Amino acid sequence: MDHTRLRLLLVDDHAIVREGLRAVLEEEADFAVVGECGSGDDALQVAGTLHPDVVLLDLSMPGLDPVTTIKGLMQRVPGVRIMVFTSFGSDDLVRATLDAGAIGFLLKDARRDELLAAIRSVAAGQPFLAPAAQRQLMELLRRPPDPLATLTERERDVLDLVAQGKSNKLIARQLGLSEGTVKGYVSQVLAKLGVTDRTQAALLVAKRGSR
């Protein structure tokens, strides 16, 4: 195994993007592209064998979501550095990917020299954030976290029905759950949202929906 060059894994569902990246990166004497994948699922399957130093990861791909992919890669390859390389960067995704362990975030409209600098920085363990991501991160740090983001998909389903004024019995019937299970979900949701009753929970949903 060649330890003199940085081992790079490209994860993007567009083959032409991967081909372009490979062409640029393999011009650098200190880079070696050791693999390409079109999804997070594929990346998790090969990462343990390829042992990349840095993974360039797109955010919009079929299959596994980016947060699960990042966490899975870090479990399979201890010490791997994750650099998000994507065409967009919403507030929620910037925060979620950084929380998951990515230390680089670069948009695809970056210049060649910026891309190369970002990879080398991330490989050295130094965070590299595109200016747009830096601004978004600063805005996120100034804002309190969204309590609704802490809910699971099922808890959010229950909350939406609570907000519609439906009883536990009706929610249970609609979701195919027992009434006792729904009661438990409602209690969990209220606790996560920091509210004491169903009305406050419904108001919170309405307030967010009006933004």
Side-chain angles (χ1 to χ4, degrees):
M1 186 181 298
D2 185 357
H3 292 286
T4 63
R5 296 194 290 172
L6 290 175
R7 299 172 60 81
L8 309 177
L9 174 61
L10 312 181
V11 186
D12 194 298
D13 62 330
H14 291 99
I16 193 168
V17 172
R18 299 196 305 269
E19 291 171 8
L21 277 174
R22 179 184 283 272
V24 169
L25 299 177
E26 290 192 334
E27 291 180 356
E28 302 301 306
D30 56 334
F31 289 169
V33 177
V34 296
E36 299 179 16
C37 298
S39 70
D41 305 80
D42 292 343
L44 295 189
Q45 289 182 14
V46 303
T49 301
L50 297 177
H51 301 290
D53 299 306
V54 177
V55 176
L56 276 68
L57 178 70
D58 187 24
L59 293 184
S60 180
M61 293 186 294
L64 284 183
D65 64 271
V67 169
T68 302
T69 300
I70 291 170
K71 291 180 178 179
L73 288 168
M74 296 179 71
Q75 290 174 351
R76 286 165 174 73
V77 187
V80 69
R81 312 294 190 186
I82 310 296
M83 190 180 95
V84 172
F85 188 58
T86 189
S87 57
F88 67 98
S90 70
D91 288 352
D92 290 344
L93 277 175
V94 172
R95 184 175 207 165
T97 54
L98 295 178
D99 284 346
I103 64 170
F105 198 107
L106 189 65
L107 299 180
K108 288 181 178 177
D109 61 359
R111 301 184 309 274
R112 180 180 184 278
D113 58 343
E114 188 176 16
L115 171 63
L116 300 178
I119 293 173
R120 293 187 175 104
S121 177
V122 167
Q126 301 297 319
F128 190 101
L129 296 179
Q134 291 178 25
R135 290 192 298 271
Q136 291 168 356
L137 185 59
M138 291 303 297
E139 291 173 2
L140 288 169
L141 292 174
R142 294 189 192 105
R143 296 202 308 255
D146 181 3
L148 295 180
T150 67
L151 302 181
T152 65
E153 184 175 351
R154 178 58 81 185
E155 288 170 345
R156 187 57 199 261
D157 290 340
V158 170
L159 175 60
D160 288 342
L161 294 174
V162 166
Q164 294 172 26
K166 296 189 176 181
S167 65
N168 288 353
K169 184 176 182 179
L170 289 175
I171 295 173
R173 185 181 303 166
Q174 184 162 338
L175 297 181
L177 303 171
S178 71
E179 197 169 342
T181 298
V182 170
K183 184 178 179 180
Y185 274 124
V186 171
S187 296
Q188 292 172 19
V189 168
L190 296 181
K192 285 188 175 183
L193 298 183
V195 298
T196 58
D197 59 42
R198 301 163 79 98
T199 301
Q200 291 178 349
L203 288 173
L204 187 60
V205 173
K207 181 179 179 182
R208 186 183 184 206
S210 65
R211 292 178 185 174

